[in-house]
Amino acid sequence: QVQLVESGGGLVQAGGSLRLSCAGFGSVSRFIAMGWYRQAPGKQRALVARLLRGGSTNYADSVKGRFTISRDNAKNTVYLQMNNLKPEETAVYYCNAEGIGYAYWGQGTQVTVSS
């Protein structure tokens, strides 16, 4: 049973940083990719960053150079380091574990960026 648990969200001022964590998926090698998505009120859930099993990464254009996705295989944890946060990035951030033909989602963690 896979139960993703996100942590690290909170309230931060514009320009600040947060690091999100995702655990509960067992070994990261089980999945073809791990990712972070976000959903702002009234908007669709969108990809923020994705880390493939082989180590390559994908980022939304809006976060390139500011966000970094990484993993700690020993701790079976995936991180999203977010720097220079902007008010428009206020959203619920979700962890995703992607397999072939299936995916698991966490419950999400709220990130609020004040101006």
Side-chain angles (χ1 to χ4, degrees):
Q1 184 72 17
V2 175
Q3 187 170 5
L4 305 183
V5 178
E6 302 99 336
S7 61
L11 174 64
V12 64
Q13 288 188 333
S17 298
L18 285 174
R19 189 178 77 159
L20 305 183
S21 300
C22 175
F25 49 82
S27 172
V28 70
S29 63
R30 296 174 56 186
F31 303 100
I32 59 174
M34 299 294 299
W36 287 95
Y37 292 71
R38 64 190 177 192
Q39 187 167 17
K43 295 188 177 181
Q44 290 189 330
R45 192 173 299 186
L47 174 70
V48 176
R50 189 166 170 256
L51 174 61
L52 277 70
R53 182 187 291 158
S56 58
T57 56
N58 306 120
Y59 292 94
D61 287 342
S62 61
V63 308
K64 287 179 180 177
R66 298 185 297 118
F67 289 16
T68 303
I69 187 171
S70 63
R71 66 191 180 204
D72 185 329
N73 291 338
K75 296 182 179 180
N76 290 327
T77 301
V78 173
Y79 303 98
L80 182 68
Q81 177 68 43
M82 306 185 293
N83 298 328
N84 192 18
L85 282 158
K86 304 175 181 180
E88 57 264 36
E89 295 178 312
T90 293
V92 178
Y93 285 68
Y94 296 91
C95 179
N96 169 273
E98 180 183 342
I100 299 176
Y102 66 93
Y104 295 103
W105 293 91
Q107 291 298 306
T109 185
Q110 176 71 45
V111 172
T112 301
V113 186
S114 63
S115 57

Short mmCIF file of all heavy atoms in Angstrom, two decimals, residues 51-115:
data_model
loop_
_atom_site.label_atom_id
_atom_site.label_comp_id
_atom_site.label_asym_id
_atom_site.label_seq_id
_atom_site.Cartn_x
_atom_site.Cartn_y
_atom_site.Cartn_z
N LEU A 51 11.03 14.15 -11.51
CA LEU A 51 12.33 13.50 -11.44
C LEU A 51 12.18 12.08 -11.92
O LEU A 51 11.46 11.28 -11.31
CB LEU A 51 12.85 13.53 -9.99
CG LEU A 51 14.14 12.78 -9.68
CD1 LEU A 51 15.31 13.34 -10.48
CD2 LEU A 51 14.43 12.86 -8.19
N LEU A 52 12.82 11.76 -13.03
CA LEU A 52 12.71 10.42 -13.59
C LEU A 52 13.64 9.46 -12.88
O LEU A 52 14.63 9.87 -12.25
CB LEU A 52 13.01 10.46 -15.08
CG LEU A 52 11.82 10.87 -15.96
CD1 LEU A 52 11.48 12.34 -15.78
CD2 LEU A 52 12.10 10.57 -17.42
N ARG A 53 13.35 8.19 -13.01
CA ARG A 53 14.12 7.18 -12.32
C ARG A 53 15.61 7.28 -12.62
O ARG A 53 16.45 7.10 -11.74
CB ARG A 53 13.60 5.79 -12.70
CG ARG A 53 14.31 4.61 -12.01
CD ARG A 53 13.81 3.31 -12.59
NE ARG A 53 12.44 3.04 -12.25
CZ ARG A 53 11.66 2.21 -12.95
NH1 ARG A 53 12.13 1.61 -14.02
NH2 ARG A 53 10.42 1.98 -12.56
N GLY A 54 15.93 7.60 -13.86
CA GLY A 54 17.34 7.67 -14.25
C GLY A 54 18.05 8.91 -13.78
O GLY A 54 19.28 9.03 -13.92
N GLY A 55 17.29 9.87 -13.23
CA GLY A 55 17.91 11.06 -12.68
C GLY A 55 17.64 12.35 -13.43
O GLY A 55 17.94 13.44 -12.93
N SER A 56 17.08 12.25 -14.62
CA SER A 56 16.79 13.48 -15.35
C SER A 56 15.57 14.17 -14.75
O SER A 56 14.76 13.55 -14.07
CB SER A 56 16.58 13.18 -16.83
OG SER A 56 15.52 12.27 -17.01
N THR A 57 15.48 15.45 -15.02
CA THR A 57 14.41 16.26 -14.42
C THR A 57 13.67 17.08 -15.46
O THR A 57 14.21 17.40 -16.53
CB THR A 57 14.99 17.21 -13.37
OG1 THR A 57 16.01 18.02 -13.98
CG2 THR A 57 15.57 16.45 -12.19
N ASN A 58 12.42 17.39 -15.15
CA ASN A 58 11.63 18.33 -15.93
C ASN A 58 11.09 19.38 -14.98
O ASN A 58 10.69 19.04 -13.86
CB ASN A 58 10.44 17.63 -16.61
CG ASN A 58 10.85 16.44 -17.45
OD1 ASN A 58 10.42 15.33 -17.21
ND2 ASN A 58 11.68 16.70 -18.44
N TYR A 59 11.04 20.62 -15.44
CA TYR A 59 10.49 21.70 -14.64
C TYR A 59 9.52 22.53 -15.47
O TYR A 59 9.72 22.71 -16.68
CB TYR A 59 11.60 22.63 -14.14
CG TYR A 59 12.53 22.01 -13.13
CD1 TYR A 59 13.72 21.43 -13.52
CD2 TYR A 59 12.21 22.01 -11.77
CE1 TYR A 59 14.58 20.85 -12.60
CE2 TYR A 59 13.06 21.45 -10.83
CZ TYR A 59 14.24 20.87 -11.26
OH TYR A 59 15.08 20.31 -10.33
N ALA A 60 8.51 23.06 -14.79
CA ALA A 60 7.69 24.07 -15.43
C ALA A 60 8.57 25.28 -15.74
O ALA A 60 9.46 25.61 -14.95
CB ALA A 60 6.54 24.47 -14.52
N ASP A 61 8.33 25.91 -16.85
CA ASP A 61 9.16 27.05 -17.24
C ASP A 61 9.19 28.12 -16.16
O ASP A 61 10.23 28.77 -15.94
CB ASP A 61 8.65 27.66 -18.55
CG ASP A 61 8.93 26.79 -19.75
OD1 ASP A 61 9.80 25.90 -19.65
OD2 ASP A 61 8.28 26.99 -20.79
N SER A 62 8.09 28.30 -15.48
CA SER A 62 7.99 29.39 -14.51
C SER A 62 8.85 29.18 -13.27
O SER A 62 9.09 30.13 -12.52
CB SER A 62 6.53 29.58 -14.09
OG SER A 62 6.04 28.40 -13.46
N VAL A 63 9.31 27.95 -13.04
CA VAL A 63 10.08 27.68 -11.82
C VAL A 63 11.54 27.36 -12.11
O VAL A 63 12.33 27.19 -11.16
CB VAL A 63 9.45 26.54 -10.99
CG1 VAL A 63 7.97 26.80 -10.73
CG2 VAL A 63 9.65 25.19 -11.65
N LYS A 64 11.90 27.27 -13.36
CA LYS A 64 13.28 26.93 -13.71
C LYS A 64 14.25 27.95 -13.10
O LYS A 64 14.03 29.15 -13.17
CB LYS A 64 13.45 26.88 -15.23
CG LYS A 64 12.81 25.67 -15.87
CD LYS A 64 12.99 25.68 -17.38
CE LYS A 64 12.35 24.47 -18.02
NZ LYS A 64 12.45 24.50 -19.50
N GLY A 65 15.28 27.42 -12.48
CA GLY A 65 16.28 28.28 -11.85
C GLY A 65 15.95 28.64 -10.42
O GLY A 65 16.82 29.18 -9.71
N ARG A 66 14.74 28.37 -9.99
CA ARG A 66 14.35 28.69 -8.62
C ARG A 66 13.99 27.46 -7.79
O ARG A 66 14.20 27.44 -6.58
CB ARG A 66 13.16 29.65 -8.61
CG ARG A 66 13.43 30.99 -9.28
CD ARG A 66 12.25 31.93 -9.12
NE ARG A 66 11.05 31.42 -9.79
CZ ARG A 66 9.91 31.10 -9.16
NH1 ARG A 66 9.82 31.26 -7.84
NH2 ARG A 66 8.88 30.65 -9.85
N PHE A 67 13.42 26.45 -8.43
CA PHE A 67 13.00 25.22 -7.75
C PHE A 67 13.93 24.08 -8.13
O PHE A 67 14.41 24.02 -9.27
CB PHE A 67 11.58 24.84 -8.14
CG PHE A 67 10.50 25.73 -7.62
CD1 PHE A 67 10.76 26.99 -7.09
CD2 PHE A 67 9.18 25.30 -7.65
CE1 PHE A 67 9.76 27.80 -6.61
CE2 PHE A 67 8.15 26.10 -7.18
CZ PHE A 67 8.44 27.35 -6.66
N THR A 68 14.14 23.18 -7.17
CA THR A 68 14.95 22.01 -7.43
C THR A 68 14.29 20.78 -6.82
O THR A 68 13.96 20.78 -5.63
CB THR A 68 16.36 22.16 -6.82
OG1 THR A 68 16.99 23.33 -7.34
CG2 THR A 68 17.21 20.95 -7.16
N ILE A 69 14.09 19.76 -7.65
CA ILE A 69 13.56 18.49 -7.17
C ILE A 69 14.74 17.55 -6.95
O ILE A 69 15.68 17.52 -7.74
CB ILE A 69 12.53 17.89 -8.15
CG1 ILE A 69 11.87 16.66 -7.54
CG2 ILE A 69 13.15 17.60 -9.51
CD1 ILE A 69 10.68 16.14 -8.35
N SER A 70 14.69 16.80 -5.86
CA SER A 70 15.77 15.88 -5.56
C SER A 70 15.22 14.71 -4.76
O SER A 70 14.06 14.73 -4.32
CB SER A 70 16.88 16.58 -4.77
OG SER A 70 16.39 17.03 -3.52
N ARG A 71 16.04 13.72 -4.57
CA ARG A 71 15.61 12.56 -3.80
C ARG A 71 16.75 12.08 -2.91
O ARG A 71 17.92 12.26 -3.22
CB ARG A 71 15.16 11.43 -4.72
CG ARG A 71 16.28 10.83 -5.57
CD ARG A 71 15.73 9.92 -6.64
NE ARG A 71 16.80 9.36 -7.45
CZ ARG A 71 16.63 8.93 -8.70
NH1 ARG A 71 15.44 8.97 -9.26
NH2 ARG A 71 17.66 8.43 -9.36
N ASP A 72 16.36 11.45 -1.82
CA ASP A 72 17.31 10.79 -0.92
C ASP A 72 16.90 9.33 -0.89
O ASP A 72 15.93 8.96 -0.24
CB ASP A 72 17.24 11.43 0.47
CG ASP A 72 18.27 10.86 1.41
OD1 ASP A 72 18.63 9.68 1.27
OD2 ASP A 72 18.72 11.60 2.30
N ASN A 73 17.62 8.50 -1.62
CA ASN A 73 17.25 7.09 -1.73
C ASN A 73 17.32 6.38 -0.38
O ASN A 73 16.52 5.48 -0.10
CB ASN A 73 18.14 6.39 -2.75
CG ASN A 73 17.88 6.86 -4.15
OD1 ASN A 73 16.80 7.39 -4.47
ND2 ASN A 73 18.86 6.71 -5.03
N ALA A 74 18.25 6.78 0.44
CA ALA A 74 18.39 6.13 1.75
C ALA A 74 17.19 6.42 2.64
O ALA A 74 16.79 5.58 3.45
CB ALA A 74 19.67 6.60 2.43
N LYS A 75 16.61 7.61 2.48
CA LYS A 75 15.46 7.99 3.30
C LYS A 75 14.14 7.79 2.57
O LYS A 75 13.07 8.08 3.13
CB LYS A 75 15.59 9.46 3.72
CG LYS A 75 16.78 9.73 4.63
CD LYS A 75 16.81 11.20 5.05
CE LYS A 75 17.98 11.47 5.98
NZ LYS A 75 18.03 12.89 6.40
N ASN A 76 14.21 7.33 1.31
CA ASN A 76 12.99 7.16 0.50
C ASN A 76 12.14 8.43 0.56
O ASN A 76 10.93 8.39 0.83
CB ASN A 76 12.18 5.96 0.99
CG ASN A 76 12.87 4.65 0.68
OD1 ASN A 76 13.56 4.53 -0.33
ND2 ASN A 76 12.70 3.68 1.54
N THR A 77 12.78 9.52 0.29
CA THR A 77 12.12 10.82 0.36
C THR A 77 12.47 11.64 -0.88
O THR A 77 13.60 11.59 -1.37
CB THR A 77 12.56 11.59 1.62
OG1 THR A 77 12.23 10.81 2.78
CG2 THR A 77 11.84 12.93 1.73
N VAL A 78 11.48 12.36 -1.36
CA VAL A 78 11.67 13.27 -2.47
C VAL A 78 11.43 14.69 -1.95
O VAL A 78 10.50 14.91 -1.16
CB VAL A 78 10.72 12.94 -3.63
CG1 VAL A 78 10.80 13.99 -4.73
CG2 VAL A 78 11.04 11.57 -4.20
N TYR A 79 12.24 15.61 -2.43
CA TYR A 79 12.16 16.99 -1.95
C TYR A 79 11.87 17.95 -3.11
O TYR A 79 12.17 17.66 -4.26
CB TYR A 79 13.49 17.40 -1.31
CG TYR A 79 13.92 16.53 -0.17
CD1 TYR A 79 14.86 15.51 -0.37
CD2 TYR A 79 13.40 16.71 1.10
CE1 TYR A 79 15.27 14.71 0.67
CE2 TYR A 79 13.81 15.91 2.16
CZ TYR A 79 14.74 14.91 1.94
OH TYR A 79 15.14 14.11 2.98
N LEU A 80 11.31 19.07 -2.73
CA LEU A 80 11.19 20.18 -3.66
C LEU A 80 11.67 21.43 -2.93
O LEU A 80 11.00 21.92 -2.02
CB LEU A 80 9.75 20.37 -4.14
CG LEU A 80 9.58 21.50 -5.16
CD1 LEU A 80 10.27 21.14 -6.48
CD2 LEU A 80 8.10 21.81 -5.41
N GLN A 81 12.85 21.89 -3.31
CA GLN A 81 13.39 23.12 -2.76
C GLN A 81 12.86 24.28 -3.59
O GLN A 81 13.07 24.31 -4.81
CB GLN A 81 14.92 23.10 -2.78
CG GLN A 81 15.56 24.39 -2.29
CD GLN A 81 15.33 24.62 -0.80
OE1 GLN A 81 15.43 23.71 0.00
NE2 GLN A 81 15.01 25.88 -0.44
N MET A 82 12.21 25.21 -2.93
CA MET A 82 11.59 26.34 -3.62
C MET A 82 12.20 27.64 -3.11
O MET A 82 12.09 27.94 -1.92
CB MET A 82 10.07 26.34 -3.40
CG MET A 82 9.41 25.03 -3.77
SD MET A 82 7.61 25.10 -3.64
CE MET A 82 7.39 25.29 -1.88
N ASN A 83 12.84 28.35 -4.01
CA ASN A 83 13.47 29.62 -3.65
C ASN A 83 12.81 30.77 -4.38
O ASN A 83 12.20 30.59 -5.43
CB ASN A 83 14.96 29.58 -4.00
CG ASN A 83 15.72 28.52 -3.23
OD1 ASN A 83 15.40 28.19 -2.09
ND2 ASN A 83 16.73 27.95 -3.86
N ASN A 84 12.96 31.95 -3.82
CA ASN A 84 12.41 33.16 -4.43
C ASN A 84 10.93 32.98 -4.78
O ASN A 84 10.51 33.23 -5.93
CB ASN A 84 13.22 33.54 -5.66
CG ASN A 84 12.90 34.93 -6.17
OD1 ASN A 84 12.34 35.75 -5.44
ND2 ASN A 84 13.25 35.20 -7.42
N LEU A 85 10.17 32.55 -3.82
CA LEU A 85 8.75 32.28 -4.06
C LEU A 85 7.97 33.56 -4.35
O LEU A 85 8.30 34.64 -3.85
CB LEU A 85 8.15 31.57 -2.85
CG LEU A 85 8.48 30.08 -2.75
CD1 LEU A 85 8.32 29.57 -1.34
CD2 LEU A 85 7.60 29.30 -3.71
N LYS A 86 6.95 33.40 -5.16
CA LYS A 86 6.12 34.51 -5.61
C LYS A 86 4.69 34.32 -5.12
O LYS A 86 4.22 33.18 -4.98
CB LYS A 86 6.14 34.59 -7.13
CG LYS A 86 7.54 34.71 -7.72
CD LYS A 86 7.51 34.67 -9.23
CE LYS A 86 8.92 34.77 -9.80
NZ LYS A 86 8.92 34.72 -11.28
N PRO A 87 3.97 35.41 -4.89
CA PRO A 87 2.58 35.28 -4.40
C PRO A 87 1.70 34.41 -5.31
O PRO A 87 0.81 33.70 -4.81
CB PRO A 87 2.09 36.73 -4.37
CG PRO A 87 3.32 37.53 -4.15
CD PRO A 87 4.41 36.80 -4.90
N GLU A 88 1.93 34.48 -6.60
CA GLU A 88 1.11 33.70 -7.53
C GLU A 88 1.39 32.21 -7.45
O GLU A 88 0.70 31.41 -8.10
CB GLU A 88 1.30 34.20 -8.97
CG GLU A 88 2.73 34.17 -9.45
CD GLU A 88 3.41 35.51 -9.29
OE1 GLU A 88 3.13 36.22 -8.28
OE2 GLU A 88 4.24 35.86 -10.16
N GLU A 89 2.37 31.82 -6.66
CA GLU A 89 2.66 30.40 -6.47
C GLU A 89 1.95 29.82 -5.25
O GLU A 89 2.18 28.67 -4.88
CB GLU A 89 4.17 30.19 -6.40
CG GLU A 89 4.83 30.55 -7.73
CD GLU A 89 6.31 30.42 -7.76
OE1 GLU A 89 6.99 30.92 -6.83
OE2 GLU A 89 6.82 29.84 -8.74
N THR A 90 1.10 30.62 -4.66
CA THR A 90 0.24 30.11 -3.59
C THR A 90 -0.66 29.02 -4.16
O THR A 90 -1.36 29.22 -5.16
CB THR A 90 -0.62 31.25 -3.01
OG1 THR A 90 0.25 32.18 -2.34
CG2 THR A 90 -1.65 30.72 -2.04
N ALA A 91 -0.61 27.85 -3.53
CA ALA A 91 -1.34 26.71 -4.04
C ALA A 91 -1.20 25.54 -3.07
O ALA A 91 -0.41 25.60 -2.12
CB ALA A 91 -0.79 26.29 -5.41
N VAL A 92 -1.96 24.51 -3.35
CA VAL A 92 -1.72 23.23 -2.68
C VAL A 92 -0.75 22.45 -3.56
O VAL A 92 -0.97 22.31 -4.76
CB VAL A 92 -3.03 22.45 -2.49
CG1 VAL A 92 -2.73 21.10 -1.83
CG2 VAL A 92 -4.01 23.25 -1.65
N TYR A 93 0.29 21.98 -2.94
CA TYR A 93 1.33 21.23 -3.65
C TYR A 93 1.17 19.74 -3.35
O TYR A 93 1.07 19.34 -2.19
CB TYR A 93 2.71 21.72 -3.23
CG TYR A 93 3.06 23.05 -3.84
CD1 TYR A 93 2.39 24.22 -3.47
CD2 TYR A 93 4.05 23.16 -4.82
CE1 TYR A 93 2.69 25.43 -4.06
CE2 TYR A 93 4.37 24.37 -5.40
CZ TYR A 93 3.68 25.51 -5.02
OH TYR A 93 3.98 26.72 -5.60
N TYR A 94 1.17 18.96 -4.43
CA TYR A 94 0.93 17.52 -4.33
C TYR A 94 2.16 16.74 -4.79
O TYR A 94 2.77 17.06 -5.82
CB TYR A 94 -0.25 17.11 -5.20
CG TYR A 94 -1.57 17.70 -4.79
CD1 TYR A 94 -2.00 18.91 -5.32
CD2 TYR A 94 -2.39 17.04 -3.87
CE1 TYR A 94 -3.22 19.45 -4.96
CE2 TYR A 94 -3.61 17.58 -3.49
CZ TYR A 94 -4.01 18.78 -4.04
OH TYR A 94 -5.22 19.31 -3.68
N CYS A 95 2.43 15.69 -4.08
CA CYS A 95 3.46 14.73 -4.49
C CYS A 95 2.81 13.65 -5.35
O CYS A 95 1.66 13.24 -5.09
CB CYS A 95 4.10 14.12 -3.25
SG CYS A 95 5.39 12.91 -3.58
N ASN A 96 3.54 13.19 -6.33
CA ASN A 96 3.04 12.18 -7.26
C ASN A 96 4.09 11.11 -7.46
O ASN A 96 5.27 11.42 -7.66
CB ASN A 96 2.68 12.87 -8.59
CG ASN A 96 2.41 11.89 -9.70
OD1 ASN A 96 3.34 11.47 -10.40
ND2 ASN A 96 1.17 11.52 -9.87
N ALA A 97 3.65 9.86 -7.44
CA ALA A 97 4.51 8.73 -7.76
C ALA A 97 3.91 8.05 -8.97
O ALA A 97 2.77 7.57 -8.92
CB ALA A 97 4.59 7.77 -6.57
N GLU A 98 4.66 8.03 -10.04
CA GLU A 98 4.15 7.60 -11.34
C GLU A 98 4.70 6.23 -11.72
O GLU A 98 5.92 6.03 -11.78
CB GLU A 98 4.53 8.63 -12.39
CG GLU A 98 4.09 8.35 -13.79
CD GLU A 98 4.60 9.41 -14.74
OE1 GLU A 98 4.97 10.50 -14.28
OE2 GLU A 98 4.65 9.12 -15.96
N GLY A 99 3.78 5.30 -12.00
CA GLY A 99 4.17 4.00 -12.53
C GLY A 99 3.71 3.90 -13.97
O GLY A 99 3.29 4.88 -14.57
N ILE A 100 3.75 2.69 -14.49
CA ILE A 100 3.28 2.48 -15.86
C ILE A 100 1.79 2.20 -15.80
O ILE A 100 1.34 1.14 -15.39
CB ILE A 100 4.03 1.31 -16.53
CG1 ILE A 100 5.53 1.63 -16.59
CG2 ILE A 100 3.48 1.06 -17.92
CD1 ILE A 100 6.37 0.50 -17.14
N GLY A 101 1.02 3.18 -16.18
CA GLY A 101 -0.42 3.02 -16.18
C GLY A 101 -1.12 3.32 -14.87
O GLY A 101 -2.32 3.08 -14.74
N TYR A 102 -0.35 3.83 -13.92
CA TYR A 102 -0.97 4.17 -12.65
C TYR A 102 -0.16 5.27 -11.98
O TYR A 102 0.98 5.53 -12.35
CB TYR A 102 -1.07 2.96 -11.72
CG TYR A 102 0.27 2.44 -11.26
CD1 TYR A 102 0.85 2.87 -10.08
CD2 TYR A 102 0.99 1.52 -12.04
CE1 TYR A 102 2.08 2.40 -9.67
CE2 TYR A 102 2.23 1.05 -11.63
CZ TYR A 102 2.77 1.50 -10.45
OH TYR A 102 4.01 1.04 -10.04
N ALA A 103 -0.76 5.89 -10.97
CA ALA A 103 -0.07 6.93 -10.22
C ALA A 103 -0.69 7.04 -8.84
O ALA A 103 -1.88 6.76 -8.66
CB ALA A 103 -0.15 8.27 -10.94
N TYR A 104 0.13 7.45 -7.90
CA TYR A 104 -0.35 7.71 -6.55
C TYR A 104 -0.17 9.19 -6.25
O TYR A 104 0.80 9.81 -6.73
CB TYR A 104 0.46 6.90 -5.54
CG TYR A 104 0.30 5.41 -5.66
CD1 TYR A 104 1.29 4.63 -6.26
CD2 TYR A 104 -0.83 4.77 -5.16
CE1 TYR A 104 1.16 3.26 -6.37
CE2 TYR A 104 -0.96 3.39 -5.27
CZ TYR A 104 0.03 2.65 -5.87
OH TYR A 104 -0.11 1.29 -5.98
N TRP A 105 -1.09 9.70 -5.45
CA TRP A 105 -1.06 11.11 -5.05
C TRP A 105 -1.10 11.25 -3.54
O TRP A 105 -1.77 10.46 -2.87
CB TRP A 105 -2.26 11.86 -5.64
CG TRP A 105 -2.24 11.98 -7.12
CD1 TRP A 105 -2.79 11.11 -8.02
CD2 TRP A 105 -1.64 13.03 -7.88
NE1 TRP A 105 -2.56 11.56 -9.30
CE2 TRP A 105 -1.87 12.73 -9.25
CE3 TRP A 105 -0.94 14.19 -7.55
CZ2 TRP A 105 -1.41 13.56 -10.27
CZ3 TRP A 105 -0.49 15.00 -8.58
CH2 TRP A 105 -0.73 14.69 -9.91
N GLY A 106 -0.44 12.26 -3.05
CA GLY A 106 -0.58 12.61 -1.66
C GLY A 106 -1.78 13.50 -1.45
O GLY A 106 -2.49 13.87 -2.40
N GLN A 107 -2.01 13.87 -0.20
CA GLN A 107 -3.14 14.71 0.15
C GLN A 107 -2.86 16.19 -0.11
O GLN A 107 -3.78 17.01 -0.13
CB GLN A 107 -3.51 14.51 1.62
CG GLN A 107 -4.09 13.14 1.92
CD GLN A 107 -5.38 12.91 1.17
OE1 GLN A 107 -6.32 13.70 1.25
NE2 GLN A 107 -5.44 11.81 0.42
N GLY A 108 -1.60 16.52 -0.27
CA GLY A 108 -1.25 17.90 -0.57
C GLY A 108 -0.83 18.68 0.66
O GLY A 108 -1.22 18.36 1.78
N THR A 109 -0.02 19.69 0.42
CA THR A 109 0.41 20.59 1.48
C THR A 109 0.25 22.02 0.99
O THR A 109 0.61 22.34 -0.15
CB THR A 109 1.86 20.29 1.92
OG1 THR A 109 2.21 21.12 3.04
CG2 THR A 109 2.86 20.52 0.80
N GLN A 110 -0.31 22.86 1.83
CA GLN A 110 -0.61 24.23 1.42
C GLN A 110 0.65 25.09 1.49
O GLN A 110 1.36 25.09 2.51
CB GLN A 110 -1.68 24.83 2.32
CG GLN A 110 -2.00 26.28 2.04
CD GLN A 110 -2.73 26.49 0.74
OE1 GLN A 110 -3.67 25.76 0.42
NE2 GLN A 110 -2.31 27.50 -0.04
N VAL A 111 0.88 25.82 0.42
CA VAL A 111 1.95 26.82 0.39
C VAL A 111 1.29 28.17 0.13
O VAL A 111 0.57 28.33 -0.86
CB VAL A 111 2.98 26.51 -0.71
CG1 VAL A 111 3.97 27.68 -0.85
CG2 VAL A 111 3.72 25.23 -0.38
N THR A 112 1.52 29.10 1.03
CA THR A 112 0.96 30.43 0.89
C THR A 112 2.09 31.45 0.88
O THR A 112 2.90 31.48 1.81
CB THR A 112 -0.02 30.76 2.03
OG1 THR A 112 -1.06 29.78 2.04
CG2 THR A 112 -0.63 32.15 1.83
N VAL A 113 2.14 32.24 -0.18
CA VAL A 113 3.20 33.23 -0.33
C VAL A 113 2.56 34.61 -0.21
O VAL A 113 1.72 34.98 -1.05
CB VAL A 113 3.92 33.08 -1.67
CG1 VAL A 113 5.11 34.05 -1.73
CG2 VAL A 113 4.40 31.65 -1.87
N SER A 114 2.93 35.35 0.79
CA SER A 114 2.36 36.67 1.00
C SER A 114 3.21 37.73 0.31
O SER A 114 4.42 37.60 0.18
CB SER A 114 2.28 36.98 2.49
OG SER A 114 3.57 37.01 3.06
N SER A 115 2.52 38.78 -0.13
CA SER A 115 3.23 39.85 -0.86
C SER A 115 3.72 40.92 0.09
O SER A 115 3.39 40.95 1.25
CB SER A 115 2.30 40.45 -1.91
OG SER A 115 1.13 40.92 -1.30
#
